[in-house]
Amino acid sequence: MGEAEVIHSWSTPRSLSTSLMYSFAQRDDIEVLDEPLYANFLRVTGVERPYLNEVLSKMESDGNKVLNEVIFGPGEKKYRYCKHIAKQRTPDLTADLMKRGKHFILIRNPLHTLPSFDKVVPPSFSEIGLAGLASIYCELSELGKAPPVIDAEDLQKDPEAVLHGLCRDLNIPFQASMLRWEAGPKEYDGVWAPWWYSGVHKSTGFSKPREYPATLPVQLYDLLELSMPFYRMLRSKTRKTVHTSPLGSLFPDPPLPVPENEKILVWLGDELVPRNDAKVSVFDSVVQGGDAAWEGLRIYNGRVFKLEEHLDRLFDSAKALAFANVPSREAIKEAIFKTLNANGMFSNSHIRLTLTRGKKVTSGMSPEFNLYGCTLIVLAEWKPPVYDNTGGIKLITATTRRNSPNSIDSKIHHNNLINNILAKIEGNVAQVEDAIMLDKDGFVSETNATNIFMVKKGQVFTPHADYCLPGITRATVMDLVVKEKFVLHERRISLSEFHAADEVWTTGTMGEITPVLMIDGRVIGDGKVGPVTKQIQHAYKAITEDSGVLIPRSEMA
């Protein structure tokens, strides 16, 4: 007899925890205990169970005595596996329970557990237990022992892969015997097995997940709503090498362009939420039909550049789209400032400001279904300029033509960007940064994401904003061109004029001023960033350094 290394399994009822206990029991180096703290839980809480007296007569009900003599007592095997239900961690238990041994958490979507829950006990928030599991995860993390988390559905889909990963996380060898067991009751089953284990006693391995979920009784809907945030939080902690979509496709967990953006706060509706909780309703108009307006803003030296101009355009777009119950200008400003302060973003950052028509009472196109008011989204990210503004970029000309005002007026800064996206796809296929879009008559309008300028013999030209968005950065640059003593022409410009230009650059809030060195395989000028481009870049940098609306900050208490 020696000291066994304890493995604590934490779960909720109806979560395949008994199947997993059977799996570990097949190993040749482990002994299992089925809910050794159950009698203590019944004694402390006084809850009623049909097997209450039998449990109390056959099991030790002093929890700390169980900890010392049973869970952490001497054993004949190298490991001792303890199946725990989260709610059985009662306040009277010593800290040894969490500090000693190895821990992992097994979760299951409450959508799959709730319909069968009331076979023995009626469902309640405490009985479901996901909040308790979340608390256990946080407490172990604070102790520097963040536990592995596995999802029952993943375990059912690929038991071998999940068990391999779990054993690796627990630093124990995987044994193939864990995949199968004999049907029938087990000598180590708890005395409550006749009430709960009839299904698992018929099994000889992990069953496949149900193809379709059971119907959720409407009276359990509120419990599902309460439980899902805890399940999603724990689900986000599962092994991230690959994850499976509901349709079965495998996706790698992608790296972010700027890793610091993994932990940002986003303004959604009327509150700040963590990145992974920043999700709009499926009934929101932006989901139903791309029905929203947006703006891009940049932050320089503690100021929001051209904030008032961007808000002017946002409200113009909202009016043109006949939005109702639009937030006030001051409310939107406050949301922007709160978002920036909460994220500590006072420079080198970008805001995607979106105003949707709001949530609908039922799916459909008609704005008459929008009875909740607009949805405001302030997405602030750490984001340097998205193009190479020193070395320059390449463009091609897209076959996709820019929308005509006869169909969709580009002066409405709307979210229905499929026209631009189709052109961007052409640029991606050609392996260039962006694509020029022509108007219906074949003249240059803009690129899929930016306005465009060219220089010929020292004079600057840019297309009319008839088909393109009259960008705020475009207007700023037009003013700078004049201030820098260049002649500016705003007129129709053919594609061949851009091919033969001395210099070309694009403008946009996200990319600022970007030199273009090649269009459709034609080298622009001498293939280098030209002097006029550099002069305008320098002037633009100077104006962004000390202009804009100052971001208010609260004094530290």
Side-chain angles (χ1 to χ4, degrees), residues 257-278:
V258 180
E260 291 78 5
N261 288 327
E262 182 181 2
K263 296 181 178 180
I264 57 173
L265 296 169
V266 179
W267 187 275
L268 180 60
D270 59 0
E271 63 178 342
L272 284 163
V273 296
R275 175 187 175 120
N276 288 339
D277 293 330

Side-chain angles (χ1 to χ4, degrees), residues 468-490:
C468 69
L469 177 77
I472 289 167
T473 307
R474 172 184 181 269
T476 303
V477 169
M478 290 173 73
D479 289 342
L480 290 175
V481 166
V482 174
K483 288 179 181 177
E484 295 296 310
K485 310 300 183 185
F486 294 105
V487 176
L488 175 67
H489 301 276
E490 186 181 12

Side-chain angles (χ1 to χ4, degrees), residues 299-313:
I299 314 304
Y300 301 95
N301 300 323
R303 298 173 185 269
V304 185
F305 188 61
K306 299 290 181 180
L307 174 60
E308 301 297 347
E309 291 86 343
H310 281 287
L311 290 181
D312 286 344
R313 187 169 66 185

Side-chain angles (χ1 to χ4, degrees), residues 446-463:
E446 59 179 345
T447 79
N448 56 272
T450 57
N451 296 122
I452 192 166
F453 290 73
M454 59 166 274
V455 178
K456 189 69 174 180
K457 295 182 179 179
Q459 297 187 30
V460 180
F461 300 79
T462 193

Side-chain angles (χ1 to χ4, degrees), residues 88-101:
Q88 295 171 7
R89 187 176 70 108
T90 52
D92 60 307
L93 298 173
T94 67
D96 277 356
L97 176 60
M98 306 303 286
K99 290 182 177 179
R100 295 176 63 182

Side-chain angles (χ1 to χ4, degrees), residues 73-217:
E76 297 180 355
K77 299 285 184 75
K78 183 176 181 180
Y79 303 106
R80 176 176 290 131
Y81 180 97
C82 296
K83 171 191 161 191
H84 301 300
I85 302 300
K87 64 188 176 186
Q88 295 171 7
R89 187 176 70 108
T90 52
D92 60 307
L93 298 173
T94 67
D96 277 356
L97 176 60
M98 306 303 286
K99 290 182 177 179
R100 295 176 63 182
K102 300 176 180 181
H103 300 256
F104 76 90
I105 290 175
L106 171 66
I107 59 173
R108 194 176 187 190
N109 191 328
L111 181 63
H112 302 314
T113 62
L114 277 170
S116 64
F117 211 97
D118 59 358
K119 290 182 178 179
V120 178
V121 295
S124 66
F125 185 66
S126 61
E127 287 289 346
I128 293 166
L130 282 163
L133 280 185
S135 177
I136 288 169
Y137 180 89
C138 293
E139 186 171 332
L140 288 169
S141 297
E142 290 170 1
L143 291 171
K145 301 172 61 174
V149 180
I150 61 172
D151 193 305
E153 188 169 1
D154 295 335
L155 184 60
Q156 288 179 297
K157 288 178 179 177
D158 195 343
E160 186 168 0
V162 172
L163 290 173
H164 262 289
L166 178 59
C167 289
R168 188 160 53 248
D169 289 337
L170 295 173
N171 197 27
I172 64 174
F174 170 77
Q175 292 186 8
S177 60
M178 300 173 71
L179 298 172
R180 307 292 295 176
W181 53 84
E182 292 185 1
K186 310 294 185 286
E187 62 180 12
Y188 45 81
D189 284 343
V191 298
W192 47 88
W195 284 267
W196 291 104
Y197 293 0
S198 59
V200 73
H201 283 164
K202 298 174 185 177
S203 70
T204 58
F206 292 101
S207 60
K208 292 293 184 183
R210 291 177 59 132
E211 185 176 4
Y212 302 108
T215 300
L216 179 73

Side-chain angles (χ1 to χ4, degrees), residues 281-332:
S281 167
V282 295
F283 289 97
D284 197 285
S285 287
V286 74
V287 178
Q288 295 276 322
D291 189 4
W294 69 280
E295 291 294 323
L297 304 99
R298 270 213 171 273
I299 314 304
Y300 301 95
N301 300 323
R303 298 173 185 269
V304 185
F305 188 61
K306 299 290 181 180
L307 174 60
E308 301 297 347
E309 291 86 343
H310 281 287
L311 290 181
D312 286 344
R313 187 169 66 185
L314 181 70
F315 280 100
D316 287 348
S317 296
K319 189 169 187 177
L321 292 168
F323 281 8
N325 300 310
V326 176
S328 71
R329 193 182 191 95
E330 286 308 309
I332 294 176

